[in-house]
């Protein structure tokens, strides 16, 4: 006999993500999931963000990597609580791992949480973690065709940060083709062009954060 | 300052995109089969959007591993693929996105809205 199911395959993950969100909401914490391919600039952007906003927000960071604590150590040097998750092979963070990390984060001492996902342009897009916003970092050296090759990530992002714009004179990158691809997949996502090396555009990124982080600072 | 180190996975194992997805799917299948008091799962009907990037063969491979010695062993997996379909917001044309060409085929504008292609669900299971 046929049994109708009509259930999302990742509903179990979504349920845990909803519980993570309830916990974060109860603590007044706004959460941002930062995703990109390896090396596009997630940690760099976080470090620049912390430098600019640590007097306005009490920031915490969850770092997701397959192995090592390189990123969490760099974040911790800025005086911000950091929890490193090593997935041991899993190519993305999921809600269960995020829940484990939250249990180790001093939630009463933060009001803005960044989750730096594992570097990957495919899987993180599938797994809700309990975040309020999703940020996708794309970078100039990766090429302007990334929206066409990895549509899901560009489709679900709340904002796209195009990093390494200081390299535009040196690599082939067609901004019109990139923008067209993004706009076709995502009518609402703004593209913010930045360079974490020169600082260009970071004021616009900070402005986006200030406009979108809706939890009051404690 | 403060840094905690959490390692939820006990071993270094190469895992693919489809492993976590198939594990969730398998758990859901068993759950639904048990609710229906089934003795055997014969078939699982899946709906998978092209945007998900899921590879059928990988799902099949992992499902066979998970389902061994369970009531879902040897169940047939059926994959209904949903293309990435868009609608032009200027002229209303509905079309399937072609690789690298996302302009409306009728009016050639790029003001489009994605309608389908992000599905990832179990439609039904067939049991005894």
């Amino acid at each position: 006999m046929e049994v109708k199911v009509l259930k999302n395959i990742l509903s179990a993950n979504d349920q845990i993500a909803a519980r993570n969100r309830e916990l974060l909401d109860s603590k007044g914490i706004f959460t941002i999931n930062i995703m990109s391919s390896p090396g596009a600039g997630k940690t760099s952007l976080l470090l620049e963000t912390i430098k600019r906003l640590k007097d306005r927000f009490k920031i915490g960071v969850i770092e997701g990597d397959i192995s090592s604590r390189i990123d969490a150590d760099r974040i911790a040097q800025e005086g911000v609580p950091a929890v490193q998750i090593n997935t041991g092979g899993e190519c993305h963070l999921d809600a269960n791992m995020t829940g484990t990390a939250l249990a180790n984060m001093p939630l009463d001492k933060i009001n803005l949480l960044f989750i730096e996902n594992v570097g990957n342009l495919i899987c993180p897009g599938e797994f809700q973690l309990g975040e309020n916003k999703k940020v996708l970092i794309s970078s100039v050296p990766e090429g302007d065709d990334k929206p066409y090759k990895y549509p899901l990530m560009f489709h679900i992002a709340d904002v796209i940060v195009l990093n390494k714009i200081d390299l535009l004179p040196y690599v082939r990158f067609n901004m019109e083709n990139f923008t067209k691809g993004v706009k076709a997949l995502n009518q609402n996502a703004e593209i913010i062009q930045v360079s974490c090396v020169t600082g260009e555009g970071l004021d616009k990124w900070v402005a986006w954060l200030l406009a979108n982080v809706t939890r009051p600072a404690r | 300052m403060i840094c905690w180190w959490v390692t939820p996975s006990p071993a270094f194992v190469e895992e693919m995109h489809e492993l976590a997805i198939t594990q969730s799917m398998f758990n859901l299948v068993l759950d639904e089969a048990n609710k229906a008091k089934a003795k055997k799962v014969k078939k699982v009907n899946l709906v998978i959007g092209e945007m998900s990037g899921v590879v059928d063969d990988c799902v099949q491979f992992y499902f066979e591993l998970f389902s061994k010695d369970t009531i879902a062993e040897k169940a047939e997996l059926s994959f209904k693929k949903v293309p990435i379909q868009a609608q032009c917001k200027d002229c209303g044309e509905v079309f399937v996105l072609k690789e690298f060409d996302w302009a409306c085929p009728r009016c050639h504008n790029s003001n489009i809205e994605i309608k389908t292609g992000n599905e990832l669900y179990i439609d039904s299971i067939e049991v005894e």
Side-chain angles (χ1 to χ4, degrees), chain A residues 1 3 7 84 86 90, chain B residues 5-6 15 32 123 125 127:
Chain A
M1 69 170 180
V3 175
K7 275 193 186 152
Q84 177 79 60
N86 284 149
E90 191 90 50
Chain B
W5 197 359
V6 176
E15 293 192 1
E32 292 295 323
D123 183 69
I125 59 174
V127 302

Side-chain angles (χ1 to χ4, degrees), chain A residues 8-24:
Chain A
N8 187 308
I9 286 173
L10 294 177
S11 53
N13 181 80
D14 291 350
Q15 279 164 27
I16 300 172
R19 290 207 295 272
N20 290 343
R21 174 69 84 85
E22 266 177 44
L23 172 62
L24 291 160

